[in-house]
Amino acid sequence: TQLLEQSPQFLSIQEGENLTVYCNSSSVFSSLQWYRQEPGEGPVLLVTVVTGGEVKKLKRLTFQFGDARKDSSLHITAAQPGDTGLYLCAGASGSGNTGKLIFGQGTTLQVKP
Amino acid sequence: DTAVSQTPKYLVTQMGNDKSIKCEQNLGHDTMYWYKQDSKKFLKIMFSYNNKELIINETVPNRFSPKSPDKAHLNLHINSLELGDSAVYFCASSQGGNGYTFGSGTRLTVV
C-alpha cells in the first residue's frame, strides 16, 4: 500500500514567518501534486512536479520534488494571513487515465496577522 | 462557469435511506473520480471512470454504486445509509491523470 506521510499536521505562525511542509513516502510516484483547500470548498491544484529534483516557484511558494521522486516539500516565504488553509500533497499512482491520486493527511496552516 | 459541479451541497438523511449525489464537469476531461474526505480531512479515492468505463473501485461497500451516463457526468448512489457514511464526498475530473479539478463537495450527514 502506498502511503504519503505529511508533516507537520498543524502549523500556527505569525505573519512574515517562513515555513516548510514535508511530504514523504517509501514509494516512487510518477508525479507529486500540491493542493490547497479552504473550508467548504474542494482542493485546488497549486502545482505538479514530475522530474526528480525539480523545483517550481509560485510567488512566495517554492515546491521541490526529491531526486528519487519519493518525497516533496513546500516552502512558504513571508507567510501572509491569506495563506491560511489546508495544504495537501498527493502522489500520482499508476499512469494517465487509469491512475489515481494518493493523498497525505494534510497540513492545516494558520497565519496570524 | 463552474468546471466541476456537484449537487447537493448538503445532505442530511436518516439511517437506512437511499440517496444520490450528482456530478457534472464541463472541462472535456476523460476521467472522473469520487473521493471521500473523513472528519480528519483525509481524502481517499472511491471510484474512477474513464470515458464511462469503471477503472478503479477501491474496496468500497456494495451499497455505493457509481453511474456514468456519459463522460461529463458521474453520479453516486448510496443504498441503506449508515452512520459511518457521514463525510464530505468530492467529485473530481482530470485529463491524462494530470492536475485534478475538484467540485466543492457534498457534506453528507446520516442521523
Side-chain angles (χ1 to χ4, degrees):
Chain A
T1 305
Q2 291 176 300
L3 289 172
L4 268 172
E5 297 287 336
Q6 195 172 334
S7 62
Q9 279 192 278
F10 300 97
L11 201 47
S12 182
I13 60 172
Q14 292 295 133
E15 181 176 0
E17 292 184 9
N18 302 331
L19 67 116
T20 302
V21 177
Y22 299 94
C23 192
N24 296 299
S25 177
S26 57
S27 304
V28 175
F29 292 101
S30 55
S31 72
L32 206 296
Q33 302 174 21
W34 285 91
Y35 291 79
R36 181 176 155 199
Q37 184 179 12
E38 305 221 19
E41 296 297 325
V44 175
L45 179 69
L46 295 174
V47 80
T48 300
V49 284
V50 179
T51 307
E54 183 176 3
V55 176
K56 279 193 175 177
K57 291 196 175 186
L58 190 66
K59 296 183 183 176
R60 293 176 293 99
L61 278 60
T62 302
F63 304 86
Q64 185 158 10
F65 202 11
D67 291 341
R69 292 188 289 133
K70 293 181 181 181
D71 54 86
S72 181
S73 64
L74 156 61
H75 183 79
I76 301 180
T77 304
Q80 305 291 310
D83 295 328
T84 293
L86 176 67
Y87 289 82
L88 297 156
C89 66
S93 174
S95 59
N97 289 325
T98 61
K100 63 183 178 184
L101 282 184
I102 294 169
F103 281 84
Q105 306 97 315
T107 295
T108 298
L109 171 65
Q110 181 188 41
V111 182
K112 300 177 203 169
Chain B
D1 260 357
T2 304
V4 179
S5 59
Q6 54 182 109
T7 55
K9 176 83 172 168
Y10 300 97
L11 192 49
V12 181
T13 187
Q14 289 190 321
M15 279 175 56
N17 283 350
D18 303 338
K19 290 293 177 186
S20 292
I21 307 172
K22 295 188 175 183
C23 180
E24 176 182 4
Q25 55 101 359
N26 63 6
L27 298 166
H29 288 168
D30 287 336
T31 311
M32 295 185 73
Y33 313 82
W34 278 110
Y35 274 80
K36 180 180 179 180
Q37 188 170 47
D38 62 23
S39 57
K40 295 185 179 178
K41 305 294 185 188
F42 182 62
L43 270 163
K44 188 162 188 239
I45 189 166
M46 299 173 69
F47 302 102
S48 80
Y49 269 75
N50 180 244
N51 274 320
K52 303 192 298 176
E53 182 185 347
L54 178 66
I55 301 295
I56 294 173
N57 180 342
E58 279 291 296
T59 325
V60 178
N62 290 340
R63 299 182 295 103
F64 290 78
S65 52
K67 279 195 173 60
S68 181
D70 55 63
K71 78 171 197 176
H73 294 84
L74 180 61
N75 304 322
L76 183 64
H77 187 75
I78 316 169
N79 289 328
S80 303
L81 278 154
E82 300 177 358
L83 292 175
D85 296 332
S86 295
V88 183
Y89 292 84
F90 285 99
C91 177
S93 72
S94 78
Q95 185 62 32
N98 294 323
Y100 288 25
T101 301
F102 284 83
S104 58
T106 295
R107 181 175 292 277
L108 171 65
T109 304
V110 183
V111 297

